[in-house]
């Protein structure tokens, strides 16, 4: 047999092995496959444990799923399979009570920050639901709110709160001290229209779903405009009401495209990567999804499927 034509095999194989090694060396902690498949769902309309009335937001932390159950004025906690674990909060104006539990976020220690919409304030809880502090009143001054929406947390203890009616982002310490703000009504760079959600990446940059302008805007940690992407439409990278935001371990950005009934995924500079979900009430279908949370270890995606009154779970194919 003439073996001369096989002499290049070691040269060709070696770069492939080296590439695989380098991918692991960069610490990519979740699957890089960008295809998602339906895993499970749970929930129905009602007031019982595991039921919802307008669940607007969902987050994942340390093996548990946290849901802001909007009109039931509470937070419900589940295991990753949808088994009900506990709940806290009820209707009212006292500490630990809510007038519409709008949206939540969690810091690195698992403390929970809830936008208490019609009490015009933020409330902070420990991971077990113990009330810690609150801040905010109704108004347009610094530290006040008209429609507090989805908060976000960075690695340095800052809390970023969008306000749909003020069309701005206010930034606080984790105990509620006002620091600075940016935004204002408009269509220009750095201006906002009905901003919904915020998220912070590993570099401290802040992303805002600019709902009324059908786009995502990216800012530095101090509010300096960096870039934007999206226009109104149904094509890849277009939106009809971008609502919820989440981020994975590799700074990929997940957006609930509410009125297109789907999830879109982008790089941190706005390059479209993939999409999943479509209109309906069947497995893997969505109706006006709002909140979204990603398990940064497994890449599993939890979606607040608001129109279907349930949580829908997708997992990456590996």
């Amino acid at each position: 047999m003439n073996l001369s034509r096989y002499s290049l095999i070691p040269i060709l194989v070696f770069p492939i092995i080296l590439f695989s090694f380098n991918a692991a060396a960069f610490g990519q902690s979740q699957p890089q496959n960008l295809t998602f498949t339906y895993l499970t769902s749970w929930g129905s309309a009602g007031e019982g444990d595991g039921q919802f009335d307008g669940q607007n937001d969902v987050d994942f932390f340390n093996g548990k799923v946290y849901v802001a159950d909007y009109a039931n004025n509470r937070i419900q906690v589940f295991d990753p399979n949808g088994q009900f674990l506990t709940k806290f909060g009820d209707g009212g104006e006292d500490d630990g009570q809510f007038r519409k539990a709008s949206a939540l976020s969690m810091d690195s220690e698992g403390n929970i920050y809830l936008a208490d919409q019609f009490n015009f304030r933020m409330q902070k809880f420990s991971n077990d639901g113990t009330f810690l502090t609150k801040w905010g009143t109704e108004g347009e001054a610094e530290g006040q709110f008209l429609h507090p929406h989805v908060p976000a947390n960075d690695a340095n203890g800052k809390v970023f709160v969008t306000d749909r009616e003020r069309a701005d982002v206010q930034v606080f310490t984790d105990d509620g001290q006002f620091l600075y703000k940016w935004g204002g009504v408009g269509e220009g760079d750095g201006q906002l229209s009905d901003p919904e959600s915020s998220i912070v990446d590993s570099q401290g940059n802040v992303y805002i779903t600019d709902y009324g302008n059908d786009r995502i805007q990216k800012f530095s940690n101090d509010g300096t405009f960096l870039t934007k992407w999206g226009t109104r439409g149904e094509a890849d990278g277009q939106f009809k009401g971008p609502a919820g935001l989440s981020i994975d371990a590799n700074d990929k950005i997940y957006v609930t495209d509410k009125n297109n009934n789907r999830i879109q995924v982008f790089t941190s500079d706005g390059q479209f990567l993939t999409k999943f979900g479509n209109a309906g009430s069947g497995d893997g279908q969505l109706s006006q999804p709002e909140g979204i949370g990603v398990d940064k270890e497994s890449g599993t995606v939890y979606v607040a499927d608001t129109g279907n009154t349930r949580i829908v779970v997708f997992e990456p194919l590996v």
Side-chain angles (χ1 to χ4, degrees):
M1 179 183 294
N2 184 356
L3 298 179
S4 61
R5 64 192 181 96
Y6 296 98
S7 60
L8 292 178
I9 289 178
I11 298 174
L12 295 174
V13 171
F14 177 75
I16 296 173
I17 296 173
L18 181 62
F19 175 81
S20 298
F21 172 79
N22 284 342
F26 279 109
Q28 296 176 340
S29 61
Q30 72 172 74
Q32 294 304 293
N33 193 305
L34 291 179
T35 301
F36 290 84
T37 186
Y38 169 79
L39 180 60
T40 190
S41 62
W42 70 83
S44 60
E47 300 177 3
D49 296 343
Q51 295 184 311
F52 305 109
D53 188 355
Q55 81 292 4
N56 276 357
D57 202 11
V58 60
D59 207 348
F60 183 93
F61 180 82
N62 198 26
K64 296 179 181 178
V65 182
Y66 297 77
V67 181
D69 190 4
Y70 180 77
N72 281 327
N73 299 302
R74 63 187 181 184
I75 294 175
Q76 295 195 68
V77 187
F78 303 86
D79 74 11
N81 299 313
Q83 180 67 38
F84 173 82
L85 298 175
T86 190
K87 62 186 175 184
F88 59 93
D90 57 18
E93 300 178 3
D94 294 335
D95 296 345
Q97 293 184 314
F98 314 126
R99 291 176 60 208
K100 301 296 185 289
S102 179
L104 57 83
S105 68
M106 306 182 75
D107 64 21
S108 60
E109 298 178 353
N111 296 311
I112 301 165
Y113 300 78
L114 182 95
D116 184 7
Q117 183 172 320
F118 292 113
N119 280 323
F120 307 101
R121 64 187 181 185
M122 295 294 300
Q123 293 198 64
K124 178 181 178 180
F125 302 86
S126 66
N127 193 251
D128 64 2
T130 302
F131 172 82
L132 296 177
T133 192
K134 64 186 177 184
W135 69 87
T137 57
E138 183 178 8
E140 300 184 43
E142 294 177 350
Q144 293 185 312
F145 302 107
L146 294 177
H147 187 148
H149 215 64
V150 182
N153 306 81
D154 72 6
N156 297 310
K158 292 178 183 176
V159 183
F160 300 78
V161 184
T162 57
D163 192 307
R164 289 198 64 170
E165 289 193 31
R166 292 170 50 125
D168 65 10
V169 181
Q170 295 190 76
V171 187
F172 303 87
T173 63
D174 59 9
D175 60 359
Q177 178 184 346
F178 176 84
L179 296 174
Y180 53 93
K181 65 180 179 180
W182 74 81
V185 179
E187 300 177 0
D189 294 346
Q191 295 182 313
L192 301 164
S193 174
D194 292 328
E196 284 259 353
S197 298
S198 56
I199 200 71
V200 182
D201 69 16
S202 62
Q203 305 302 309
N205 299 309
V206 183
Y207 304 77
I208 305 294
T209 48
D210 190 6
Y211 186 93
N213 288 321
D214 291 300
R215 64 186 181 183
I216 307 299
Q217 292 200 67
K218 178 180 178 180
F219 301 87
S220 67
N221 197 264
D222 64 3
T224 301
F225 172 81
L226 297 177
T227 191
K228 63 187 176 185
W229 69 87
T231 57
R232 185 165 181 81
E234 300 177 6
D236 295 346
Q238 294 186 313
F239 304 105
K240 287 185 178 179
L245 275 177
S246 192
I247 192 166
D248 70 13
N250 299 289
D251 281 347
K252 294 195 295 290
I253 309 300
Y254 294 68
V255 185
T256 57
D257 188 5
K258 182 176 179 179
N259 296 311
N260 280 325
N261 301 295
R262 65 186 180 183
I263 310 302
Q264 295 196 70
V265 187
F266 302 87
T267 64
S268 60
D269 60 359
Q271 177 185 347
F272 173 83
L273 295 174
T274 192
K275 62 186 176 185
F276 52 96
N278 55 67
S281 57
D283 292 348
Q285 294 184 313
L286 303 168
S287 175
Q288 296 193 312
E290 295 209 22
I292 186 169
V294 178
D295 176 355
K296 293 186 177 181
E297 292 298 319
S298 69
T300 302
V301 179
Y302 299 84
V303 180
D305 186 15
T306 307
N308 286 320
T309 323
R310 65 183 182 181
I311 303 298
V312 179
V313 186
F314 298 88
E315 63 179 351
L317 291 176
V318 294

